[in-house]
């Protein structure tokens, strides 16, 4: 008897996001806030509950006392640590530069808490991360994956056109709301590139989602293309959402550094079941080329048949 798994079905059929050429113009980097509404301070907000913890601090669901608007407040425990404070301020700077895409989390401002911690006020995403959606609803079907891919590509297109590399694309940094919008979040290790190709510290981000060249930049002439690293993260994310487990490890296997590096740098691309469509297979292969130069760019991927199908008819 076959094993039947009952799952709550989540329909991630999403409207096509705006083409990036219709996005608002690049924001003025000298603007005092991402949001033009009056500045919000700690005393305006009441904390409702914790949404999540990360390396940098804690994210709370908060409500504005006067307007009742709900936000997510990321509090970086930077009180006495100057480098954490710099990191939080850099994250706000990147968010400001990235503003305007429907698929990048919106920042409503930032302020210093009375205790000296840096706080970043973000739009609230009520369904949480794609990691939690995977945990709660199980693996994604291809049409939902195409919608996820399309929206993340749209967000990455905006970031890359503004010379921002995210460097930590993974299911737990992609947020979803009940309008089924997907938004790229957590810019804690992202970088604004000053030159087209720039060597940068490779070991930032989550090691499991790092592309092969980040473990061994010398294999790419001593520098790596961070834009291609984001594409790798997207490919791995889609594969994980499809399979239901991290693709470079067996289900339930505990990760260790050596086996991860071996699998990512030298292992075969994780195999997909036979029922996976040719389009999905091809899309993932275009993202997960080991040589970064062979990986498709975000603009190329936006023309791939997997994401160009009509999201309603599937044709
Ligand atoms: P890490 O570096 O460990 O990835 P972090 O400290 O940089 O984490 P985030 O990834 O930004 O923090 O957020 C931590 C968690 O808080 C997320 O995984 C998510 O569960 C929750 N969270 C963050 N931002 C939001 C938001 N805008 N809406 C809803 N939940 C959020
Ligand atoms: Mg995170």
């Amino acid at each position: 008897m076959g094993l039947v798994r009952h799952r709550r079905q989540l329909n991630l059929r999403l409207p096509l996001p705006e083409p990036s050429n219709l996005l608002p113009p690049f924001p003025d980097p000298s603007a005092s806030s991402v949001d033009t509404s009056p500045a919000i301070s700690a005393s305006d907000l009441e904390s409702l509950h914790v949404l999540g913890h990360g390396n940098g601090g804690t994210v709370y669901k908060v409500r504005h006392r006067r307007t009742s608007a709900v936000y997510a407040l990321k509090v970086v425990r930077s009180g006495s640590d100057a480098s954490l404070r710099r990191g939080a301020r850099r994250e706000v700077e990147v968010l400001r530069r990235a503003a305007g895409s429907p698929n990048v989390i919106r920042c409503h401002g930032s302020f210093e808490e009375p205790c000296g911690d840096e706080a970043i006020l973000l739009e609230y995403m009520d369904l949480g991360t794609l990691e939690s959606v995977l945990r709660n609803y199980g693996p994604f079907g291809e049409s939902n994956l195409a919608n996820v891919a399309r929206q993340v590509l749209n967000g990455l297109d905006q970031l890359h056109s503004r010379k921002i590399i995210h460097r930590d694309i993974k299911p737990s940094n992609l947020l979803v709301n009940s309008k089924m919008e997907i938004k790229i979040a957590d810019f804690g290790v992202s970088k604004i590139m000053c030159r087209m190709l720039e060597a940068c510290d490779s070991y930032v981000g989550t090691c499991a989602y790092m592309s092969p060249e980040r473990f061994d930049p010398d294999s790419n002439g001593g520098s790596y293309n961070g834009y291609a690293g984001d594409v790798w993260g997207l490919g791995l994310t889609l594969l994980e959402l499809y399979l239901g487990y991290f693709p470079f490890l067996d289900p339930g296997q505990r990760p260790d550094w050596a086996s991860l590096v071996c699998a990512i740098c030298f292992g075969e691309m994780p195999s997909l079941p036979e029922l996976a469509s040719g389009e999905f297979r091809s899309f993932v292969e275009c993202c997960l080329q080991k040589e970064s130069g062979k990986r498709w760019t975000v603009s190329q991927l936006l023309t791939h048949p997997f994401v160009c199908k009509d999201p309603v008819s599937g044709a």
Side-chain angles (χ1 to χ4, degrees), residues 74-151:
K74 180 168 177 169
V75 178
V76 180
R77 305 254 166 263
S78 51
S80 55
D81 187 323
S83 78
L84 281 177
R85 185 170 312 116
R86 271 198 305 276
R89 288 184 181 165
R90 207 189 48 233
E91 184 167 354
V92 174
E93 189 195 330
V94 176
L95 281 162
R96 185 172 294 158
R97 190 177 173 105
S101 166
N103 299 114
V104 173
I105 199 76
R106 182 160 179 212
C107 175
H108 292 273
S110 64
F111 52 82
E112 198 178 300
E113 293 266 34
C115 60
D117 289 345
E118 290 291 322
I120 308 172
L121 195 63
L122 301 163
E123 77 180 290
Y124 169 60
M125 299 293 281
D126 57 354
L127 293 189
T129 69
L130 287 183
E131 183 192 43
S132 59
V133 171
L134 176 64
R135 228 185 6 254
N136 295 332
Y137 297 93
F140 289 44
E142 285 195 23
S143 63
N144 285 336
L145 283 178
N147 283 318
V148 169
R150 207 176 288 122
Q151 295 200 55

Side-chain angles (χ1 to χ4, degrees), residues 53-56 74 129 166 168 170 172-174 185-188 206:
H53 297 280
N55 290 323
K74 180 168 177 169
T129 69
H166 184 278
D168 205 11
K170 58 179 181 177
S172 64
N173 284 338
L174 298 172
D186 191 356
F187 288 77
T206 312

Side-chain angles (χ1 to χ4, degrees), residues 17-307:
E18 286 173 59
S20 53
N21 58 3
L22 295 182
L23 293 171
F26 188 84
D28 174 4
S30 65
S32 60
S33 165
V34 177
D35 202 329
T36 51
S37 47
I40 297 173
S41 68
S43 60
D44 294 323
L45 303 168
E46 62 172 321
S47 174
L48 300 176
H49 60 81
V50 171
L51 290 168
H53 297 280
N55 290 323
T58 305
V59 181
Y60 301 87
K61 181 175 176 182
V62 296
R63 183 167 46 214
H64 193 283
R65 292 180 198 280
R66 189 173 44 80
T67 65
S68 296
V70 170
Y71 301 93
L73 186 71
K74 180 168 177 169
V75 178
V76 180
R77 305 254 166 263
S78 51
S80 55
D81 187 323
S83 78
L84 281 177
R85 185 170 312 116
R86 271 198 305 276
R89 288 184 181 165
R90 207 189 48 233
E91 184 167 354
V92 174
E93 189 195 330
V94 176
L95 281 162
R96 185 172 294 158
R97 190 177 173 105
S101 166
N103 299 114
V104 173
I105 199 76
R106 182 160 179 212
C107 175
H108 292 273
S110 64
F111 52 82
E112 198 178 300
E113 293 266 34
C115 60
D117 289 345
E118 290 291 322
I120 308 172
L121 195 63
L122 301 163
E123 77 180 290
Y124 169 60
M125 299 293 281
D126 57 354
L127 293 189
T129 69
L130 287 183
E131 183 192 43
S132 59
V133 171
L134 176 64
R135 228 185 6 254
N136 295 332
Y137 297 93
F140 289 44
E142 285 195 23
S143 63
N144 285 336
L145 283 178
N147 283 318
V148 169
R150 207 176 288 122
Q151 295 200 55
V152 177
L153 283 173
N154 194 49
L156 284 177
D157 193 37
Q158 169 95 342
L159 296 180
H160 290 184
S161 70
R162 292 177 181 180
K163 304 212 179 317
I164 299 166
I165 50 174
H166 184 278
R167 302 203 289 186
D168 205 11
I169 295 291
K170 58 179 181 177
S172 64
N173 284 338
L174 298 172
L175 298 171
V176 57
N177 63 21
S178 43
K179 285 191 265 174
M180 298 308 164
E181 295 167 326
I182 310 284
K183 308 216 179 193
I184 301 174
D186 191 356
F187 288 77
V189 295
S190 54
K191 182 175 170 80
I192 299 172
M193 304 293 276
C194 299
R195 285 174 279 135
M196 265 311 276
L197 282 183
E198 195 175 319
C200 48
D201 38 336
S202 303
Y203 290 113
V204 295
T206 312
C207 127
Y209 295 86
M210 281 184 191
S211 50
E213 69 276 10
R214 290 180 70 182
F215 292 103
D216 183 15
D218 289 341
S219 65
N220 280 267
S223 66
Y224 78 91
N225 176 346
Y227 301 107
D230 283 348
V231 167
W232 174 275
L234 169 63
L236 206 49
T237 294
L238 293 178
L239 208 46
E240 177 167 350
L241 297 175
Y242 182 89
L243 296 170
Y245 54 87
F246 181 70
F248 281 114
L249 296 172
D250 293 329
Q253 187 188 342
R254 281 172 67 85
D256 71 84
W257 173 261
S259 49
L260 264 179
V261 175
C262 259
I264 292 169
C265 294
F266 310 112
E268 293 289 308
M269 197 187 100
S271 57
L272 278 164
E274 274 185 12
L275 54 88
S277 72
E279 284 159 349
F280 179 53
R281 244 171 240 286
S282 154
F283 186 89
V284 170
E285 274 170 27
C286 293
C287 295
L288 293 182
Q289 289 295 315
K290 291 218 192 282
E291 268 184 60
S292 61
K294 291 190 180 159
R295 235 168 272 154
W296 283 31
T297 63
V298 166
S299 338
Q300 288 171 321
L301 287 166
L302 279 165
T303 67
H304 191 284
F306 180 63
V307 292

